[in-house]
Amino acid sequence: MYEGIVQDLIDELGRLPGVGPKSAQRIAFHLLEADPADVRRLAETLVKLKDLVRFCTICGNVAEEDTCRICRDPRRDASLICVVEESKDVVAIERTKEFRGRYHVLGGAISPMNGVGPEQLRIRELMTRLADGTVAEVILATNPNLEGEATATYLTRFLGTMGLRVSRLASGLPVGGDLEYADEVTLGRAFEGRRVVHG
Amino acid sequence: MYEGIVQDLIDELGRLPGVGPKSAQRIAFHLLEADPADVRRLAETLVKLKDLVRFCTICGNVAEEDTCRICRDPRRDASLICVVEESKDVVAIERTKEFRGRYHVLGGAISPMNGVGPEQLRIRELMTRLADGTVAEVILATNPNLEGEATATYLTRFLGTMGLRVSRLASGLPVGGDLEYADEVTLGRAFEGRRVVHG
């Protein structure tokens, strides 16, 4: 045990996801020897995070105003909504620069194991957005795993009756990957989704 | 890229030792959803760390006053000094409850590769402590690696002329370990340091 504050910091850092007691100790000693201005800035950023960052009232993405940058941007195509599980998925898709529509962040995926049902997700908010008929297509971009697939299936059934196009991101071999190392489910999906390139 | 503050936090967390960009993102989102009181307490602890925690003027250990708890404790044997590289080594040794003397924290180990020479370590301060003749034995507890051994060798030569006992922690097989998996240097040390148990 260290004296008071150092131990307090180690305890608090140790509660962060992916930070074990050893790394908490390493980080604490790093901060102890770091430039005071840097540590103070980190402390201020933490306070600002809780004071200023909220979730977009339209799409649920992180935002520093009532709505996020993407929902405020008039150049984004309002007829396309891409449904994702988390804000970090928005960032991943934005990096591709392929998508010019808007997003809807569910805040997770259906997972009976973790007690997450459809009512815990921002599905009602999605329905509200679809009510005025502006949206022509909903792209389901939940994760290609058990929970993500369950969520996509649920949403497909739900949205299928609303007279709009519902699509799902393609599954297949990762670009730059090696066929040999692909798991059988991925390889199966790659066959299912094969595209004719000639004849 | 996230909006301002979230990205600022991810950048700052990513500069901590052992925190990559993915974990920085995970921690940032965890904090975004965490109880504001917890995040505020973490921020306050960081500020307190820089405002209140310093290094003991005697031994160099972390302290919240001019001297650390161990140097202030009159029950600790002042004739024994255990020399370690870092404050975290003090904690590790304190956990064993085997040692009732005092410590001296060098602040690192001699490492020409990293540009650390004896003059960067708290060796002068150690000499000052030894000057009044109270200390009878100095136990060298630097790490059993290249830098730690070099530092111990240097200190042994340095202290050897001062008429006090200098000892080094035993090297050997870790308790609970498996002989089969011991590296050859450790196994060699275990042979060298073998103790007669009969005859």
Side-chain angles (χ1 to χ4, degrees):
Chain A
M1 289 288 285
Y2 294 91
E3 293 192 48
I5 295 162
V6 178
Q7 189 60 44
D8 288 350
L9 183 62
I10 293 174
D11 292 344
E12 285 174 40
L13 292 170
R15 279 194 282 272
L16 299 176
V19 180
K22 284 277 169 197
S23 5
Q25 181 176 288
R26 213 157 116 227
I27 295 172
F29 276 93
H30 167 87
L31 293 170
L32 198 55
E33 282 158 27
D35 184 340
D38 288 346
V39 179
R40 203 167 291 275
R41 203 176 49 242
L42 174 58
E44 282 163 14
T45 308
L46 287 169
V47 171
K48 274 197 227 157
L49 184 80
K50 298 312 274 189
D51 285 352
L52 302 178
V53 178
R54 15 190 179 162
F55 295 95
C56 172
T57 51
I58 300 172
C59 75
N61 191 11
V62 289
E64 289 180 18
E65 300 184 28
D66 271 351
T67 55
C68 74
R69 275 193 305 200
I70 296 168
C71 284
R72 285 198 309 270
D73 185 346
R75 291 164 305 174
R76 305 289 298 224
D77 185 346
S79 74
L80 266 178
I81 288 188
C82 179
V83 176
V84 296
E85 295 181 19
E86 308 282 357
S87 282
K88 47 180 176 274
D89 303 324
V90 172
V91 177
I93 296 171
E94 285 295 287
R95 265 198 298 262
T96 69
K97 297 188 168 47
E98 290 283 337
F99 180 67
R100 297 302 302 161
R102 299 192 172 169
Y103 292 93
H104 193 80
V105 180
L106 292 172
I110 296 173
S111 168
M113 287 261 291
N114 299 312
V116 181
E119 60 291 343
Q120 267 93 56
L121 304 177
R122 299 182 66 260
I123 294 176
R124 208 190 325 262
E125 289 86 341
L126 178 61
M127 292 306 137
T128 311
R129 291 180 72 183
L130 300 176
D132 69 355
T134 318
V135 177
E137 179 174 353
V138 173
I139 302 170
L140 302 175
T142 51
N143 285 324
N145 57 24
L146 204 66
E147 288 84 8
E149 295 289 1
T151 310
T153 306
Y154 178 88
L155 288 173
T156 305
R157 222 178 309 142
F158 214 85
L159 301 170
T161 58
M162 299 184 71
L164 38 79
R165 179 184 295 165
V166 180
S167 60
R168 176 96 179 97
L169 290 193
S171 280
L173 297 172
V175 178
D178 222 340
L179 196 139
E180 183 183 1
Y181 299 120
D183 65 282
E184 51 201 5
V185 180
T186 302
L187 204 50
R189 290 289 177 81
F191 269 96
E192 254 180 65
R194 70 191 180 277
R195 298 198 299 180
V196 177
V197 288
H198 176 76
Chain B
M1 288 288 285
Y2 293 91
E3 293 193 49
I5 297 162
V6 178
Q7 189 61 44
D8 288 352
L9 182 62
I10 292 174
D11 291 345
E12 285 175 38
L13 291 171
R15 279 194 283 271
L16 299 177
V19 180
K22 282 278 167 196
S23 7
Q25 183 177 285
R26 212 157 116 227
I27 294 172
F29 275 93
H30 166 87
L31 292 170
L32 198 54
E33 282 158 27
D35 183 341
D38 288 347
V39 179
R40 202 166 292 273
R41 204 176 48 242
L42 174 58
E44 281 162 15
T45 309
L46 287 169
V47 172
K48 275 197 225 155
L49 183 81
K50 298 313 274 189
D51 285 351
L52 302 177
V53 179
R54 19 196 177 156
F55 296 96
C56 172
T57 52
I58 301 172
C59 77
N61 191 10
V62 287
E64 289 181 19
E65 301 185 25
D66 271 351
T67 55
C68 74
R69 274 192 306 199
I70 296 168
C71 285
R72 283 198 311 271
D73 185 345
R75 292 163 305 175
R76 305 291 298 224
D77 185 347
S79 74
L80 265 178
I81 288 187
C82 178
V83 177
V84 295
E85 295 180 19
E86 307 282 0
S87 282
K88 49 180 172 272
D89 304 324
V90 171
V91 177
I93 295 172
E94 285 295 287
R95 265 199 297 262
T96 69
K97 296 185 169 48
E98 290 281 337
F99 180 68
R100 296 304 301 163
R102 298 194 173 167
Y103 292 93
H104 193 80
V105 180
L106 293 172
I110 296 172
S111 170
M113 286 262 291
N114 300 312
V116 182
E119 59 291 342
Q120 267 93 55
L121 304 176
R122 298 181 67 260
I123 294 176
R124 208 191 325 264
E125 289 85 343
L126 177 61
M127 293 305 139
T128 311
R129 291 180 71 182
L130 299 176
D132 69 357
T134 317
V135 177
E137 180 174 352
V138 172
I139 302 170
L140 302 175
T142 51
N143 284 324
N145 57 24
L146 204 66
E147 289 84 7
E149 295 288 1
T151 310
T153 306
Y154 179 88
L155 287 173
T156 305
R157 221 180 308 142
F158 214 87
L159 301 170
T161 59
M162 297 184 74
L164 38 80
R165 180 183 293 163
V166 181
S167 60
R168 176 95 178 97
L169 291 193
S171 280
L173 297 173
V175 177
D178 222 341
L179 198 138
E180 182 183 1
Y181 299 120
D183 64 283
E184 51 200 8
V185 180
T186 301
L187 203 50
R189 289 287 177 81
F191 268 96
E192 254 180 63
R194 69 190 180 279
R195 297 196 300 178
V196 177
V197 287
H198 176 75

